[in-house]
Amino acid sequence: MDGSSLRTLFSEEKIQKRIREMGTQIDADYPGGTLHLVCILKGACFFMADLARSIERDVVVDFMGISSYGRGKTTSGAVKLTKDLDTAIEGADVLLVEDIVDTGVTITYLVNVLEQRKPKSIRIATLLDKPSRRLRPVKVAYVGFEIPDEFVVGYGLDYAERYRNLRDVCVLQGPQVA
Ligand code: PRP
């Protein structure tokens, strides 16, 4: 026991219902063609898997590795590309898939990198949005849930690599969470 506790913020049912709604919206917004889904590792892979299956049009799935937080809970401000895409995105409709947009530093860096490859469009889909923490202005096209400034884990989100496999999104409280 480390004295920490979890409080459910969004249940599995609520998350899955919201993702189905997001998929329907995305299908309606893109009139045709293939949508290029780019998952930002590692946290977003759970959301990506469910979102991709809620979209009915053709999709390509690809992955980018980004490291910005290290093992702790606060950002270092440094963004490092740890894995690049396997596929070209020139002329493609790209949807960046994130688990959370917090300060906006990571997604701003990624959008800048990918825009240089001349996609037809780039939009952002995130399960969670914490706008009160923003350091960079970010236009997020699809938001699952807006959340207050609390430390959340589960459904892909970690604290020092723990909790990613929780089915719910939970607030982590305890001595180690300042
Ligand atoms: C998290 C999250 C985003 C980023 C958001 O990733 O998945 O990529 O932080 O924070 P920001 O808006 O303040 O930049 P993290 O670096 O924790 O990596 P992980 O997904 O592998 O846990």
Side-chain angles (χ1 to χ4, degrees), residues 80-137:
K80 194 174 77 175
L81 195 64
T82 56
K83 185 209 171 297
D84 204 342
L85 297 175
D86 296 327
T87 48
I89 57 164
E90 185 170 350
D93 286 313
V94 173
L95 186 61
L96 286 175
V97 180
E98 265 289 22
D99 51 350
I100 186 165
V101 177
D102 189 341
T103 64
V105 169
T106 304
I107 203 75
T108 299
Y109 170 83
L110 279 169
V111 168
N112 287 338
V113 167
L114 296 183
E115 267 176 350
Q116 290 166 25
R117 302 179 190 180
K118 306 204 175 349
K120 183 174 166 198
S121 68
I122 300 187
R123 288 186 187 171
I124 299 162
T126 187
L127 181 69
L128 304 175
D129 188 14
K130 218 190 248 190
S132 63
R133 293 250 311 158
R134 212 64 109 240
L135 295 176
R136 304 271 191 284

Side-chain angles (χ1 to χ4, degrees), residues 40-44 66-70 75 79 98-107 133 156-158 161 164:
I40 314 307
L41 296 169
K42 296 185 267 192
I66 277 282
S67 171
S68 60
Y69 273 31
T75 181
V79 178
E98 265 289 22
D99 51 350
I100 186 165
V101 177
D102 189 341
T103 64
V105 169
T106 304
I107 203 75
R133 293 250 311 158
L157 292 126
D158 74 309
E161 297 299 329
R164 292 193 198 273

